[in-house]
Amino acid sequence: MTHPPAARALLASALSATALLATAGCSVVDEPRPRWFSASASASGASPAVEQPAGSGAALTEAQAQAALVTEADLGEPWGPTRGARTWRDGLLKGTTEDGDCQRLLDALYLEEPFGTPKGPEATSALDDGDTDAQLRYRVAAYPPADVDRTLDWMKSLPDRCGQFTVTTTRGVVQGVEVRDLPLPPVGDARQALRVTLAGETEEGELTYLTMDLAAVRVGEEAITLTNAGLDEVYAEVTQQAVQLGAQRLAEIRKQGRAQI
């Protein structure tokens, strides 16, 4: 049903991300836990940082990068192999905004890659949540550590730089965007995560509400990039535990050096 002019004007003029997000009732802290969640592995626990092996500067082989992935076997039901990219990727994430940093973030969300082109082996897994239709993409790739750290610092600045802004999609739809910090377990050498929410309406006047987590961790000369997104429930604890498990696994594989798997 098409919204009356007053409601549409409110969305287009203020696009108050705070108000729209509040009506959606989505909270990183208060959201219900997925069935597979184990409190013992919670991101707020006293989990020690992963210790990096001395002198382990050699990049991983392609087989080792593949072995370092988090898959559906790790997450369990309702997660399974992806059935393909969702239509909301092009409909809601392709757009423009005036601020350069906010545009860079939007582009990184669409590409699901904040670091650019890898400088070595890479591997990717893509999963779907059969209950909520969320999609998770997990990538391990080699990048210059200094470049990764600069990008992580940039990500850390975004809740202040781009806490709330508007974006116009390629279809001319205006959305309100909110960017918040998402805590991660103390794993890897450096880490940062964001929870980004986009609220607007379709050309037919239906409200849309997309939640997307973007998390990144550097472990030695490799970086983990994870996105977890959907139009329904998107559990922050899935993002946090996948990062924790994946960083620990990558650190263990790095200890093997370039030994063949």
Side-chain angles (χ1 to χ4, degrees):
M1 180 178 69
T2 303
H3 293 288
R8 190 178 298 277
L10 175 63
L11 238 157
S13 61
L15 267 163
S16 172
T18 302
L20 286 169
L21 302 177
T23 59
C26 182
S27 166
V28 173
V29 177
D30 299 329
E31 33 183 57
R33 292 176 176 178
R35 290 197 302 269
W36 63 269
F37 174 73
S38 168
S40 63
S42 118
S44 60
S47 199
V50 174
E51 182 180 353
Q52 299 301 320
S56 59
L60 298 186
T61 65
E62 187 172 340
Q64 287 170 325
Q66 191 72 34
L69 293 175
V70 168
T71 69
E72 66 271 19
D74 298 305
L75 299 186
E77 293 185 354
W79 290 93
T82 186
R83 300 185 300 275
R86 295 288 185 265
T87 56
W88 49 254
R89 292 192 69 254
D90 284 337
L92 301 179
L93 291 177
K94 288 182 74 172
T96 58
T97 189
E98 293 182 358
D99 184 273
D101 281 304
C102 304
Q103 183 66 56
R104 180 182 170 189
L105 170 62
L106 196 65
D107 294 341
L109 294 176
Y110 178 73
L111 296 173
E112 298 179 296
E113 176 52 75
F115 299 121
T117 304
K119 305 301 182 184
E122 61 178 292
T124 302
S125 59
L127 309 172
D128 289 350
D129 183 326
D131 286 350
T132 68
D133 242 12
Q135 288 199 313
L136 186 147
R137 183 176 182 270
Y138 189 95
R139 188 182 201 189
V140 175
Y143 304 92
D147 292 350
V148 172
D149 289 347
R150 277 193 294 270
T151 299
L152 293 177
D153 287 341
W154 168 74
M155 287 175 59
K156 186 175 182 180
S157 73
L158 290 178
D160 290 330
R161 293 187 181 188
C162 300
Q164 292 187 7
F165 64 98
T166 60
V167 58
T168 303
T169 71
T170 54
R171 299 175 182 176
V173 176
V174 180
Q175 297 185 97
V177 185
E178 182 174 88
V179 182
R180 291 180 286 165
D181 181 75
L182 178 64
L184 289 179
V187 292
D189 296 303
R191 69 210 67 82
Q192 181 60 41
L194 301 169
R195 168 153 287 206
V196 181
T197 45
L198 300 92
E201 60 180 32
T202 67
E203 295 169 339
E204 292 75 29
E206 297 296 326
L207 289 176
T208 61
Y209 182 84
L210 175 68
T211 302
M212 189 167 192
D213 291 346
L214 172 64
V217 179
R218 182 173 67 80
V219 181
E221 306 235 345
E222 281 73 41
I224 294 167
T225 306
L226 178 150
T227 57
N228 181 21
L231 296 171
D232 198 346
E233 293 284 357
V234 175
Y235 296 106
E237 287 153 334
V238 171
T239 301
Q240 292 160 335
Q241 289 204 3
V243 164
Q244 179 167 321
L245 172 63
Q248 292 169 342
R249 177 173 296 166
L250 179 55
E252 287 301 316
I253 289 175
R254 283 185 56 79
K255 289 180 182 179
Q256 301 172 13
R258 298 185 66 86
Q260 186 162 359
I261 298 177

mmCIF file of all heavy atoms in Angstrom, residues 66-112:
data_model
loop_
_atom_site.group_PDB
_atom_site.id
_atom_site.type_symbol
_atom_site.label_atom_id
_atom_site.label_comp_id
_atom_site.label_asym_id
_atom_site.label_seq_id
_atom_site.Cartn_x
_atom_site.Cartn_y
_atom_site.Cartn_z
ATOM 1 N N GLN A 66 41.901 -21.762 1.996
ATOM 2 C CA GLN A 66 40.633 -22.488 1.909
ATOM 3 C C GLN A 66 40.333 -23.206 3.219
ATOM 4 O O GLN A 66 39.204 -23.219 3.695
ATOM 5 C CB GLN A 66 40.698 -23.488 0.747
ATOM 6 C CG GLN A 66 39.375 -24.126 0.369
ATOM 7 C CD GLN A 66 38.447 -23.156 -0.335
ATOM 8 O OE1 GLN A 66 38.900 -22.288 -1.076
ATOM 9 N NE2 GLN A 66 37.153 -23.289 -0.100
ATOM 10 N N ALA A 67 41.356 -23.808 3.811
ATOM 11 C CA ALA A 67 41.165 -24.537 5.069
ATOM 12 C C ALA A 67 40.842 -23.603 6.228
ATOM 13 O O ALA A 67 40.290 -24.047 7.244
ATOM 14 C CB ALA A 67 42.422 -25.346 5.394
ATOM 15 N N ALA A 68 41.169 -22.326 6.097
ATOM 16 C CA ALA A 68 40.931 -21.363 7.177
ATOM 17 C C ALA A 68 39.519 -20.799 7.173
ATOM 18 O O ALA A 68 39.156 -20.045 8.078
ATOM 19 C CB ALA A 68 41.946 -20.216 7.070
ATOM 20 N N LEU A 69 38.698 -21.160 6.188
ATOM 21 C CA LEU A 69 37.354 -20.598 6.083
ATOM 22 C C LEU A 69 36.431 -21.123 7.176
ATOM 23 O O LEU A 69 36.585 -22.232 7.672
ATOM 24 C CB LEU A 69 36.740 -20.952 4.719
ATOM 25 C CG LEU A 69 37.376 -20.315 3.495
ATOM 26 C CD1 LEU A 69 36.730 -20.872 2.231
ATOM 27 C CD2 LEU A 69 37.251 -18.792 3.537
ATOM 28 N N VAL A 70 35.437 -20.309 7.529
ATOM 29 C CA VAL A 70 34.311 -20.746 8.349
ATOM 30 C C VAL A 70 33.212 -21.190 7.394
ATOM 31 O O VAL A 70 32.890 -20.488 6.433
ATOM 32 C CB VAL A 70 33.813 -19.601 9.250
ATOM 33 C CG1 VAL A 70 32.471 -19.946 9.882
ATOM 34 C CG2 VAL A 70 34.839 -19.297 10.333
ATOM 35 N N THR A 71 32.638 -22.371 7.636
ATOM 36 C CA THR A 71 31.647 -22.935 6.732
ATOM 37 C C THR A 71 30.376 -23.284 7.491
ATOM 38 O O THR A 71 30.286 -23.099 8.708
ATOM 39 C CB THR A 71 32.193 -24.199 6.055
ATOM 40 O OG1 THR A 71 32.308 -25.242 7.031
ATOM 41 C CG2 THR A 71 33.567 -23.936 5.425
ATOM 42 N N GLU A 72 29.399 -23.851 6.770
ATOM 43 C CA GLU A 72 28.140 -24.255 7.402
ATOM 44 C C GLU A 72 28.355 -25.340 8.444
ATOM 45 O O GLU A 72 27.568 -25.469 9.384
ATOM 46 C CB GLU A 72 27.134 -24.729 6.350
ATOM 47 C CG GLU A 72 27.507 -26.000 5.621
ATOM 48 C CD GLU A 72 28.340 -25.741 4.378
ATOM 49 O OE1 GLU A 72 28.921 -24.644 4.265
ATOM 50 O OE2 GLU A 72 28.404 -26.643 3.526
ATOM 51 N N ALA A 73 29.442 -26.129 8.293
ATOM 52 C CA ALA A 73 29.734 -27.157 9.288
ATOM 53 C C ALA A 73 30.073 -26.540 10.641
ATOM 54 O O ALA A 73 29.811 -27.143 11.688
ATOM 55 C CB ALA A 73 30.890 -28.037 8.800
ATOM 56 N N ASP A 74 30.633 -25.336 10.642
ATOM 57 C CA ASP A 74 30.962 -24.646 11.888
ATOM 58 C C ASP A 74 29.730 -24.016 12.525
ATOM 59 O O ASP A 74 29.563 -24.055 13.749
ATOM 60 C CB ASP A 74 32.003 -23.550 11.630
ATOM 61 C CG ASP A 74 33.314 -24.111 11.092
ATOM 62 O OD1 ASP A 74 33.881 -24.997 11.752
ATOM 63 O OD2 ASP A 74 33.745 -23.659 10.022
ATOM 64 N N LEU A 75 28.863 -23.423 11.711
ATOM 65 C CA LEU A 75 27.711 -22.706 12.242
ATOM 66 C C LEU A 75 26.539 -23.637 12.538
ATOM 67 O O LEU A 75 25.749 -23.362 13.437
ATOM 68 C CB LEU A 75 27.269 -21.617 11.260
ATOM 69 C CG LEU A 75 28.301 -20.531 10.939
ATOM 70 C CD1 LEU A 75 27.673 -19.448 10.074
ATOM 71 C CD2 LEU A 75 28.893 -19.936 12.201
ATOM 72 N N GLY A 76 26.424 -24.729 11.798
ATOM 73 C CA GLY A 76 25.320 -25.653 12.032
ATOM 74 C C GLY A 76 23.997 -25.096 11.536
ATOM 75 O O GLY A 76 23.922 -24.026 10.927
ATOM 76 N N GLU A 77 22.923 -25.831 11.789
ATOM 77 C CA GLU A 77 21.606 -25.376 11.352
ATOM 78 C C GLU A 77 21.249 -24.048 12.019
ATOM 79 O O GLU A 77 21.613 -23.822 13.159
ATOM 80 C CB GLU A 77 20.543 -26.434 11.704
ATOM 81 C CG GLU A 77 20.702 -27.720 10.935
ATOM 82 C CD GLU A 77 19.567 -28.693 11.221
ATOM 83 O OE1 GLU A 77 18.721 -28.400 12.106
ATOM 84 O OE2 GLU A 77 19.526 -29.738 10.580
ATOM 85 N N PRO A 78 20.562 -23.171 11.302
ATOM 86 C CA PRO A 78 19.932 -23.322 9.977
ATOM 87 C C PRO A 78 20.808 -22.872 8.819
ATOM 88 O O PRO A 78 20.301 -22.592 7.732
ATOM 89 C CB PRO A 78 18.711 -22.419 10.102
ATOM 90 C CG PRO A 78 19.210 -21.280 10.947
ATOM 91 C CD PRO A 78 20.166 -21.900 11.946
ATOM 92 N N TRP A 79 22.134 -22.803 9.003
ATOM 93 C CA TRP A 79 23.012 -22.296 7.959
ATOM 94 C C TRP A 79 23.331 -23.378 6.935
ATOM 95 O O TRP A 79 23.535 -24.543 7.278
ATOM 96 C CB TRP A 79 24.308 -21.759 8.561
ATOM 97 C CG TRP A 79 24.094 -20.499 9.344
ATOM 98 C CD1 TRP A 79 23.861 -20.383 10.682
ATOM 99 C CD2 TRP A 79 24.054 -19.173 8.818
ATOM 100 N NE1 TRP A 79 23.679 -19.072 11.026
ATOM 101 C CE2 TRP A 79 23.791 -18.300 9.911
ATOM 102 C CE3 TRP A 79 24.208 -18.635 7.549
ATOM 103 C CZ2 TRP A 79 23.696 -16.918 9.754
ATOM 104 C CZ3 TRP A 79 24.118 -17.251 7.392
ATOM 105 C CH2 TRP A 79 23.861 -16.415 8.487
ATOM 106 N N GLY A 80 23.403 -22.963 5.664
ATOM 107 C CA GLY A 80 23.758 -23.872 4.579
ATOM 108 C C GLY A 80 24.387 -23.092 3.450
ATOM 109 O O GLY A 80 24.461 -21.850 3.482
ATOM 110 N N PRO A 81 24.867 -23.799 2.409
ATOM 111 C CA PRO A 81 25.482 -23.111 1.259
ATOM 112 C C PRO A 81 24.510 -22.114 0.631
ATOM 113 O O PRO A 81 23.302 -22.340 0.596
ATOM 114 C CB PRO A 81 25.797 -24.264 0.288
ATOM 115 C CG PRO A 81 25.873 -25.479 1.159
ATOM 116 C CD PRO A 81 24.882 -25.263 2.260
ATOM 117 N N THR A 82 25.047 -21.010 0.150
ATOM 118 C CA THR A 82 24.193 -19.962 -0.402
ATOM 119 C C THR A 82 23.464 -20.435 -1.654
ATOM 120 O O THR A 82 23.973 -21.266 -2.419
ATOM 121 C CB THR A 82 25.009 -18.701 -0.722
ATOM 122 O OG1 THR A 82 24.130 -17.662 -1.133
ATOM 123 C CG2 THR A 82 26.019 -18.969 -1.831
ATOM 124 N N ARG A 83 22.273 -19.883 -1.851
ATOM 125 C CA ARG A 83 21.482 -20.169 -3.048
ATOM 126 C C ARG A 83 21.622 -19.040 -4.072
ATOM 127 O O ARG A 83 20.921 -19.039 -5.078
ATOM 128 C CB ARG A 83 20.010 -20.361 -2.669
ATOM 129 C CG ARG A 83 19.789 -21.508 -1.695
ATOM 130 C CD ARG A 83 18.307 -21.735 -1.434
ATOM 131 N NE ARG A 83 17.655 -20.567 -0.862
ATOM 132 C CZ ARG A 83 17.634 -20.279 0.437
ATOM 133 N NH1 ARG A 83 18.256 -21.083 1.299
ATOM 134 N NH2 ARG A 83 17.018 -19.200 0.882
ATOM 135 N N GLY A 84 22.501 -18.092 -3.795
ATOM 136 C CA GLY A 84 22.710 -16.995 -4.732
ATOM 137 C C GLY A 84 22.476 -15.649 -4.075
ATOM 138 O O GLY A 84 21.852 -15.541 -3.020
ATOM 139 N N ALA A 85 22.995 -14.595 -4.708
ATOM 140 C CA ALA A 85 22.911 -13.241 -4.150
ATOM 141 C C ALA A 85 21.458 -12.779 -4.086
ATOM 142 O O ALA A 85 20.666 -13.024 -5.001
ATOM 143 C CB ALA A 85 23.728 -12.273 -4.994
ATOM 144 N N ARG A 86 21.089 -12.110 -3.008
ATOM 145 C CA ARG A 86 19.736 -11.597 -2.828
ATOM 146 C C ARG A 86 19.521 -10.318 -3.650
ATOM 147 O O ARG A 86 20.457 -9.548 -3.895
ATOM 148 C CB ARG A 86 19.474 -11.299 -1.348
ATOM 149 C CG ARG A 86 19.480 -12.531 -0.467
ATOM 150 C CD ARG A 86 18.237 -13.378 -0.712
ATOM 151 N NE ARG A 86 18.196 -14.495 0.217
ATOM 152 C CZ ARG A 86 18.652 -15.719 -0.051
ATOM 153 N NH1 ARG A 86 19.189 -15.968 -1.231
ATOM 154 N NH2 ARG A 86 18.574 -16.670 0.843
ATOM 155 N N THR A 87 18.287 -10.098 -4.039
ATOM 156 C CA THR A 87 17.978 -8.933 -4.865
ATOM 157 C C THR A 87 18.208 -7.618 -4.134
ATOM 158 O O THR A 87 18.435 -6.582 -4.770
ATOM 159 C CB THR A 87 16.516 -8.989 -5.339
ATOM 160 O OG1 THR A 87 15.657 -9.101 -4.191
ATOM 161 C CG2 THR A 87 16.286 -10.187 -6.246
ATOM 162 N N TRP A 88 18.188 -7.649 -2.777
ATOM 163 C CA TRP A 88 18.388 -6.398 -2.049
ATOM 164 C C TRP A 88 19.801 -5.846 -2.202
ATOM 165 O O TRP A 88 20.034 -4.659 -1.971
ATOM 166 C CB TRP A 88 18.052 -6.548 -0.563
ATOM 167 C CG TRP A 88 18.638 -7.706 0.187
ATOM 168 C CD1 TRP A 88 17.992 -8.831 0.601
ATOM 169 C CD2 TRP A 88 19.987 -7.845 0.655
ATOM 170 N NE1 TRP A 88 18.833 -9.671 1.280
ATOM 171 C CE2 TRP A 88 20.068 -9.091 1.333
ATOM 172 C CE3 TRP A 88 21.130 -7.056 0.575
ATOM 173 C CZ2 TRP A 88 21.244 -9.561 1.922
ATOM 174 C CZ3 TRP A 88 22.318 -7.521 1.148
ATOM 175 C CH2 TRP A 88 22.348 -8.760 1.813
ATOM 176 N N ARG A 89 20.734 -6.668 -2.636
ATOM 177 C CA ARG A 89 22.099 -6.155 -2.813
ATOM 178 C C ARG A 89 22.118 -5.027 -3.842
ATOM 179 O O ARG A 89 22.657 -3.951 -3.603
ATOM 180 C CB ARG A 89 23.055 -7.274 -3.239
ATOM 181 C CG ARG A 89 23.307 -8.314 -2.170
ATOM 182 C CD ARG A 89 24.465 -9.219 -2.527
ATOM 183 N NE ARG A 89 25.723 -8.495 -2.475
ATOM 184 C CZ ARG A 89 26.413 -8.108 -3.552
ATOM 185 N NH1 ARG A 89 25.960 -8.352 -4.757
ATOM 186 N NH2 ARG A 89 27.560 -7.465 -3.416
ATOM 187 N N ASP A 90 21.528 -5.262 -5.014
ATOM 188 C CA ASP A 90 21.487 -4.220 -6.033
ATOM 189 C C ASP A 90 20.443 -3.166 -5.714
ATOM 190 O O ASP A 90 20.640 -1.979 -5.991
ATOM 191 C CB ASP A 90 21.183 -4.840 -7.402
ATOM 192 C CG ASP A 90 22.393 -5.551 -7.992
ATOM 193 O OD1 ASP A 90 23.524 -5.218 -7.592
ATOM 194 O OD2 ASP A 90 22.208 -6.436 -8.843
ATOM 195 N N GLY A 91 19.334 -3.576 -5.115
ATOM 196 C CA GLY A 91 18.247 -2.639 -4.869
ATOM 197 C C GLY A 91 18.513 -1.650 -3.757
ATOM 198 O O GLY A 91 18.051 -0.505 -3.813
ATOM 199 N N LEU A 92 19.287 -2.062 -2.721
ATOM 200 C CA LEU A 92 19.457 -1.213 -1.546
ATOM 201 C C LEU A 92 20.889 -0.742 -1.318
ATOM 202 O O LEU A 92 21.107 0.275 -0.656
ATOM 203 C CB LEU A 92 18.969 -1.949 -0.298
ATOM 204 C CG LEU A 92 17.501 -2.396 -0.312
ATOM 205 C CD1 LEU A 92 17.161 -3.133 0.980
ATOM 206 C CD2 LEU A 92 16.572 -1.207 -0.515
ATOM 207 N N LEU A 93 21.881 -1.465 -1.800
ATOM 208 C CA LEU A 93 23.273 -1.119 -1.510
ATOM 209 C C LEU A 93 23.958 -0.333 -2.625
ATOM 210 O O LEU A 93 25.009 0.249 -2.400
ATOM 211 C CB LEU A 93 24.083 -2.386 -1.215
ATOM 212 C CG LEU A 93 23.753 -3.102 0.095
ATOM 213 C CD1 LEU A 93 24.566 -4.385 0.226
ATOM 214 C CD2 LEU A 93 24.005 -2.193 1.297
ATOM 215 N N LYS A 94 23.391 -0.334 -3.823
ATOM 216 C CA LYS A 94 23.965 0.466 -4.916
ATOM 217 C C LYS A 94 23.345 1.850 -4.872
ATOM 218 O O LYS A 94 22.148 2.005 -5.111
ATOM 219 C CB LYS A 94 23.698 -0.200 -6.269
ATOM 220 C CG LYS A 94 24.510 -1.449 -6.514
ATOM 221 C CD LYS A 94 24.244 -2.036 -7.884
ATOM 222 C CE LYS A 94 24.891 -1.198 -8.971
ATOM 223 N NZ LYS A 94 24.808 -1.853 -10.301
ATOM 224 N N GLY A 95 24.157 2.844 -4.533
ATOM 225 C CA GLY A 95 23.621 4.195 -4.431
ATOM 226 C C GLY A 95 24.719 5.211 -4.217
ATOM 227 O O GLY A 95 25.912 4.885 -4.227
ATOM 228 N N THR A 96 24.308 6.452 -4.012
ATOM 229 C CA THR A 96 25.274 7.543 -3.841
ATOM 230 C C THR A 96 24.900 8.394 -2.634
ATOM 231 O O THR A 96 23.738 8.496 -2.252
ATOM 232 C CB THR A 96 25.315 8.447 -5.087
ATOM 233 O OG1 THR A 96 24.003 8.963 -5.337
ATOM 234 C CG2 THR A 96 25.798 7.682 -6.301
ATOM 235 N N THR A 97 25.928 9.000 -2.050
ATOM 236 C CA THR A 97 25.758 9.948 -0.958
ATOM 237 C C THR A 97 26.827 11.017 -1.099
ATOM 238 O O THR A 97 27.823 10.823 -1.816
ATOM 239 C CB THR A 97 25.834 9.242 0.407
ATOM 240 O OG1 THR A 97 25.450 10.151 1.435
ATOM 241 C CG2 THR A 97 27.238 8.716 0.680
ATOM 242 N N GLU A 98 26.662 12.149 -0.438
ATOM 243 C CA GLU A 98 27.544 13.292 -0.673
ATOM 244 C C GLU A 98 28.901 13.149 -0.018
ATOM 245 O O GLU A 98 29.919 13.575 -0.565
ATOM 246 C CB GLU A 98 26.867 14.576 -0.191
ATOM 247 C CG GLU A 98 25.638 14.961 -0.993
ATOM 248 C CD GLU A 98 25.026 16.267 -0.521
ATOM 249 O OE1 GLU A 98 25.560 16.831 0.469
ATOM 250 O OE2 GLU A 98 24.050 16.726 -1.119
ATOM 251 N N ASP A 99 28.969 12.561 1.170
ATOM 252 C CA ASP A 99 30.233 12.477 1.902
ATOM 253 C C ASP A 99 31.114 11.363 1.327
ATOM 254 O O ASP A 99 30.656 10.237 1.106
ATOM 255 C CB ASP A 99 29.958 12.221 3.385
ATOM 256 C CG ASP A 99 31.226 12.224 4.206
ATOM 257 O OD1 ASP A 99 31.864 11.156 4.322
ATOM 258 O OD2 ASP A 99 31.592 13.294 4.729
ATOM 259 N N GLY A 100 32.387 11.681 1.130
ATOM 260 C CA GLY A 100 33.301 10.715 0.532
ATOM 261 C C GLY A 100 33.513 9.466 1.374
ATOM 262 O O GLY A 100 33.573 8.350 0.842
ATOM 263 N N ASP A 101 33.667 9.629 2.694
ATOM 264 C CA ASP A 101 33.862 8.471 3.557
ATOM 265 C C ASP A 101 32.621 7.596 3.594
ATOM 266 O O ASP A 101 32.719 6.355 3.582
ATOM 267 C CB ASP A 101 34.226 8.920 4.971
ATOM 268 C CG ASP A 101 35.679 9.331 5.093
ATOM 269 O OD1 ASP A 101 36.551 8.511 4.764
ATOM 270 O OD2 ASP A 101 35.945 10.479 5.495
ATOM 271 N N CYS A 102 31.452 8.214 3.627
ATOM 272 C CA CYS A 102 30.213 7.442 3.649
ATOM 273 C C CYS A 102 30.018 6.709 2.327
ATOM 274 O O CYS A 102 29.529 5.571 2.306
ATOM 275 C CB CYS A 102 29.024 8.353 3.938
ATOM 276 S SG CYS A 102 29.175 9.298 5.474
ATOM 277 N N GLN A 103 30.408 7.342 1.213
ATOM 278 C CA GLN A 103 30.323 6.669 -0.087
ATOM 279 C C GLN A 103 31.280 5.488 -0.145
ATOM 280 O O GLN A 103 30.931 4.417 -0.670
ATOM 281 C CB GLN A 103 30.647 7.660 -1.206
ATOM 282 C CG GLN A 103 30.505 7.070 -2.606
ATOM 283 C CD GLN A 103 29.080 6.717 -2.943
ATOM 284 O OE1 GLN A 103 28.194 7.563 -2.869
ATOM 285 N NE2 GLN A 103 28.837 5.462 -3.317
ATOM 286 N N ARG A 104 32.469 5.669 0.395
ATOM 287 C CA ARG A 104 33.438 4.568 0.428
ATOM 288 C C ARG A 104 32.892 3.399 1.232
ATOM 289 O O ARG A 104 33.052 2.233 0.838
ATOM 290 C CB ARG A 104 34.756 5.067 1.024
ATOM 291 C CG ARG A 104 35.842 4.000 1.117
ATOM 292 C CD ARG A 104 37.088 4.569 1.759
ATOM 293 N NE ARG A 104 38.055 3.534 2.078
ATOM 294 C CZ ARG A 104 39.151 3.728 2.786
ATOM 295 N NH1 ARG A 104 39.445 4.944 3.255
ATOM 296 N NH2 ARG A 104 39.983 2.723 3.042
ATOM 297 N N LEU A 105 32.237 3.690 2.351
ATOM 298 C CA LEU A 105 31.623 2.628 3.145
ATOM 299 C C LEU A 105 30.538 1.921 2.349
ATOM 300 O O LEU A 105 30.469 0.686 2.325
ATOM 301 C CB LEU A 105 31.039 3.210 4.428
ATOM 302 C CG LEU A 105 30.149 2.254 5.246
ATOM 303 C CD1 LEU A 105 30.947 1.043 5.722
ATOM 304 C CD2 LEU A 105 29.513 2.992 6.417
ATOM 305 N N LEU A 106 29.682 2.692 1.702
ATOM 306 C CA LEU A 106 28.598 2.109 0.919
ATOM 307 C C LEU A 106 29.148 1.200 -0.179
ATOM 308 O O LEU A 106 28.639 0.090 -0.406
ATOM 309 C CB LEU A 106 27.754 3.228 0.308
ATOM 310 C CG LEU A 106 26.380 2.843 -0.222
ATOM 311 C CD1 LEU A 106 25.469 2.382 0.900
ATOM 312 C CD2 LEU A 106 25.769 4.028 -0.955
ATOM 313 N N ASP A 107 30.213 1.629 -0.842
ATOM 314 C CA ASP A 107 30.826 0.812 -1.883
ATOM 315 C C ASP A 107 31.414 -0.471 -1.295
ATOM 316 O O ASP A 107 31.322 -1.548 -1.892
ATOM 317 C CB ASP A 107 31.919 1.604 -2.601
ATOM 318 C CG ASP A 107 31.363 2.780 -3.394
ATOM 319 O OD1 ASP A 107 30.149 2.778 -3.683
ATOM 320 O OD2 ASP A 107 32.140 3.705 -3.701
ATOM 321 N N ALA A 108 32.034 -0.355 -0.117
ATOM 322 C CA ALA A 108 32.613 -1.531 0.533
ATOM 323 C C ALA A 108 31.529 -2.531 0.926
ATOM 324 O O ALA A 108 31.728 -3.750 0.820
ATOM 325 C CB ALA A 108 33.416 -1.113 1.761
ATOM 326 N N LEU A 109 30.376 -2.034 1.361
ATOM 327 C CA LEU A 109 29.272 -2.925 1.711
ATOM 328 C C LEU A 109 28.756 -3.651 0.477
ATOM 329 O O LEU A 109 28.469 -4.857 0.524
ATOM 330 C CB LEU A 109 28.141 -2.132 2.361
ATOM 331 C CG LEU A 109 28.437 -1.494 3.719
ATOM 332 C CD1 LEU A 109 27.246 -0.660 4.175
ATOM 333 C CD2 LEU A 109 28.779 -2.557 4.766
ATOM 334 N N TYR A 110 28.634 -2.945 -0.615
ATOM 335 C CA TYR A 110 28.137 -3.567 -1.838
ATOM 336 C C TYR A 110 29.116 -4.624 -2.353
ATOM 337 O O TYR A 110 28.718 -5.730 -2.741
ATOM 338 C CB TYR A 110 27.889 -2.513 -2.918
ATOM 339 C CG TYR A 110 27.421 -3.127 -4.219
ATOM 340 C CD1 TYR A 110 26.128 -3.643 -4.334
ATOM 341 C CD2 TYR A 110 28.267 -3.209 -5.319
ATOM 342 C CE1 TYR A 110 25.696 -4.227 -5.510
ATOM 343 C CE2 TYR A 110 27.846 -3.794 -6.502
ATOM 344 C CZ TYR A 110 26.560 -4.302 -6.600
ATOM 345 O OH TYR A 110 26.143 -4.894 -7.769
ATOM 346 N N LEU A 111 30.404 -4.287 -2.339
ATOM 347 C CA LEU A 111 31.428 -5.228 -2.819
ATOM 348 C C LEU A 111 31.759 -6.294 -1.781
ATOM 349 O O LEU A 111 32.406 -7.296 -2.108
ATOM 350 C CB LEU A 111 32.700 -4.461 -3.187
ATOM 351 C CG LEU A 111 32.572 -3.471 -4.348
ATOM 352 C CD1 LEU A 111 33.858 -2.657 -4.473
ATOM 353 C CD2 LEU A 111 32.260 -4.194 -5.648
ATOM 354 N N GLU A 112 31.320 -6.071 -0.533
ATOM 355 C CA GLU A 112 31.654 -6.952 0.590
ATOM 356 C C GLU A 112 33.167 -7.100 0.730
ATOM 357 O O GLU A 112 33.689 -8.151 1.061
ATOM 358 C CB GLU A 112 30.991 -8.321 0.417
ATOM 359 C CG GLU A 112 29.474 -8.249 0.404
ATOM 360 C CD GLU A 112 28.809 -9.577 0.201
ATOM 361 O OE1 GLU A 112 28.994 -10.164 -0.882
ATOM 362 O OE2 GLU A 112 28.099 -10.024 1.113
#
